[in-house]
Amino acid sequence: KIVAKFYILILTTGLKGYLKQFHQRKDLQQRKDVDLNKAFSSYTLSEFDSAITVPMWGYKDLGDYHKKASSIRYLKYVKVPILCINAEDDPLVPSLLWPNVMELENKYSIFVTSKGGGHIGWCQGINPLTGPSWADLLIFKYFETILQIMTNIMVIE
């Protein structure tokens, strides 16, 4: 939990740094819908998005933004094998969103979850910064299996 909070703080700090480069622009200063002070004092992505992203792009609220900006609504149209990997401790894609993915019943998708790994983690081993991650190994196995299935189909035909 503390790692997720730290990760969110780092991402939010990065967004504030990016905003700092542009906050003096006249067109941004004249906007009444964005709250630059609130954005610069934010500690979470939700706070930052509520102050900048939601009003700037015309979303009703944070929930509306998350729903409309998510790629989940397109997953039902995928007609090739797709592997979706998510960690329970992912601070950006919380597990409460997973039932929506599970309900899609897309025969081309496989949804894999792990207890840990954060948003792009899944590190393993004595030194998690070196070597392949758990997700890398899973992806290689996935492609190996897909190729094996395709080869078997070609042999049968």
Side-chain angles (χ1 to χ4, degrees):
K1 197 82 170 167
I2 194 119
V3 172
K5 287 182 180 182
F6 182 67
Y7 185 75
I8 293 289
L9 181 61
I10 288 172
L11 289 175
T12 305
T13 302
L15 286 171
K16 291 191 295 188
Y18 184 74
L19 181 62
K20 192 173 186 177
Q21 296 175 40
F22 300 99
H23 80 284
Q24 294 296 335
R25 287 180 49 152
K26 190 175 182 179
D27 59 335
L28 190 56
Q29 289 287 325
Q30 291 176 339
R31 290 191 70 141
K32 302 293 182 209
D33 54 347
V34 298
D35 188 338
L36 293 171
N37 291 329
K38 185 177 174 187
F40 282 121
S41 65
S42 63
Y43 289 98
T44 67
L45 292 173
S46 294
E47 290 171 354
F48 184 90
D49 286 337
S50 293
I52 299 293
T53 311
V54 168
M56 184 174 279
W57 299 106
Y59 295 105
K60 288 185 284 189
D61 53 33
L62 202 55
D64 185 47
Y65 163 57
H66 287 155
K67 182 179 179 184
K68 290 179 178 171
S70 173
S71 60
I72 191 171
R73 61 189 176 167
Y74 302 106
L75 195 56
K76 64 185 172 188
Y77 301 111
V78 173
K79 301 297 182 212
V80 295
I82 186 170
L83 176 64
C84 304
I85 306 171
N86 203 208
E88 289 180 13
D89 64 350
D90 185 335
L92 298 181
V93 184
S95 59
L96 62 94
L97 298 177
W98 299 354
N100 297 331
V101 174
M102 303 293 198
E103 292 167 9
L104 289 177
E105 298 180 9
N106 182 328
K107 67 181 182 179
Y108 298 100
S109 65
I110 297 173
F111 193 77
V112 178
T113 63
S114 64
K115 290 275 184 205
H119 186 62
I120 53 172
W122 302 295
C123 298
Q124 63 184 12
I126 295 171
N127 182 354
L129 300 176
T130 63
S133 71
W134 171 85
D136 292 339
L137 298 174
L138 178 66
I139 291 166
F140 287 130
K141 187 65 176 171
Y142 172 76
F143 281 118
E144 181 181 82
T145 303
I146 294 295
L147 289 172
Q148 197 172 35
I149 290 169
M150 290 173 66
T151 303
N152 288 341
I153 289 171
M154 291 173 153
V155 169
I156 292 172
E157 293 176 353

